[in-house]
Amino acid sequence: MRTPVMAGNWKMYKNAAETSAFFAKFNPAVAGTRGREIVICPPFVDLPAAMDAARGSNVEIGAQNVYWEKEGAFTGEVSAPMLTAIGVRWVIIAHSERRHLFHETDETAHKKIVASLAAGLKPIVCVGELLADREADNTESVLERQFKGGIADLSAEQFARIVIAYEPVWAIGTGQTATPEMASEAHAFIRDQARSRFGHDAAQAVRILYGGSVKPENAKELMAQEDIDGVLVGGASLKPDSFAAIVNY
């Protein structure tokens, strides 16, 4: 049985005071939740406030990005050891906005995964196609390229420690959502890629999340799909009541 991961990505929203106020309402709403991992990924500047607010709760904190070197003259970057030093447990890697706005590649995704695992972080590695890819029936070729370029060169031990998130780019922040059937097909394809590279047991064990306009209204139906093992939520994770409803689908 794969334990679901219910993750919230706050993107560039909230300050420290707003972060503390969120957790004051969110923590009690999920205090009794069992059988799933709950993760919130705020902006870097809010990580200390989030760590303080989540202490003693069943919520873990993640970062939205990481650099692959431990330290050095890399202005504006944050390393994996810096994150673990303050208690961060998770990190999002190669989110579609990082890929398409900041030109991150499968190669840099791989470097970030390796560095994160070496520091003890749990990576949520994002893959997904553009609308043009979907319309051209190239979804599977894009997912295969991203898997081979960013994930396939991991060792079996490394692969066992990552989570994958399928994000159809056309469904992020647009209000559009892949139907449960569309999402399930993509998740099954990703699992097939894992099976061909890492074997049956590893493919059955890896958790694959869905990200793309997840809301309280569609969370239950998405989570009912066999190959969907959780969600990576954007806008709906900014409000404690809506994210709690998703977590407690």
Side-chain angles (χ1 to χ4, degrees):
M1 176 66 74
R2 297 185 294 266
T3 302
V5 177
M6 316 301 285
N9 173 20
W10 283 3
K11 308 188 181 185
M12 200 174 70
Y13 293 98
K14 295 191 185 298
N15 58 32
E18 291 166 336
T19 296
S20 299
F22 172 95
F23 279 94
K25 294 183 178 180
F26 182 72
N27 288 349
V30 299
T33 303
R34 299 292 181 269
R36 62 210 65 179
E37 294 186 80
I38 307 168
V39 183
I40 291 179
C41 302
F44 284 130
V45 295
D46 296 332
L47 287 172
M51 292 299 307
D52 287 342
R55 189 167 290 112
S57 75
N58 57 343
V59 182
E60 295 188 338
I61 304 303
Q64 297 176 19
N65 190 25
V66 68
Y67 194 63
W68 55 83
E69 296 288 354
K70 292 182 179 179
E71 59 184 12
F74 305 105
T75 300
E77 297 294 339
V78 175
S79 73
M82 290 175 179
L83 295 174
T84 57
I86 63 170
V88 172
R89 300 288 303 278
W90 296 77
V91 63
I92 299 172
I93 292 175
H95 187 278
S96 63
E97 290 160 1
R98 298 299 313 176
R99 289 180 185 267
H100 300 296
L101 295 178
F102 302 100
H103 310 296
E104 294 191 5
T105 65
D106 297 326
E107 180 184 8
T108 59
H110 179 78
K111 290 180 179 180
K112 292 181 178 187
I113 295 167
V114 172
S116 297
L117 290 172
L121 291 169
K122 303 177 186 179
I124 299 174
V125 185
C126 301
V127 297
E129 81 281 9
L130 297 167
L131 179 59
D133 298 319
R134 167 67 64 169
E135 292 178 339
D137 201 26
N138 288 331
T139 295
E140 291 186 354
S141 63
V142 171
L143 295 177
E144 181 178 11
R145 184 193 74 231
Q146 292 172 338
F147 187 92
K148 289 182 175 178
I151 298 172
D153 285 341
L154 298 174
S155 69
E157 185 274 336
Q158 289 172 324
F159 180 74
R161 294 161 56 202
I162 74 168
V163 172
I164 300 172
Y166 167 61
E167 303 180 305
V169 180
W170 48 271
I172 296 174
T174 63
Q176 298 185 66
T177 308
T179 66
E181 293 75 21
M182 291 164 64
S184 186
E185 287 174 2
H187 282 231
F189 179 81
I190 295 167
R191 204 173 299 282
D192 283 341
Q193 293 294 303
R195 186 175 295 108
S196 65
R197 168 62 182 87
F198 296 101
H200 175 80
D201 290 347
Q204 288 302 111
V206 68
R207 292 176 291 183
I208 306 174
L209 316 184
Y210 172 76
S213 295
V214 179
K215 302 179 286 290
E217 294 78 16
N218 61 22
K220 184 175 182 179
E221 190 176 10
L222 287 165
M223 289 300 298
Q225 304 301 307
E226 180 179 356
D227 280 307
I228 296 181
D229 306 311
V231 289
L232 180 58
V233 185
S237 71
L238 293 169
K239 297 180 179 179
D241 53 348
S242 68
F243 191 45
I246 291 171
V247 169
N248 295 320
Y249 65 92

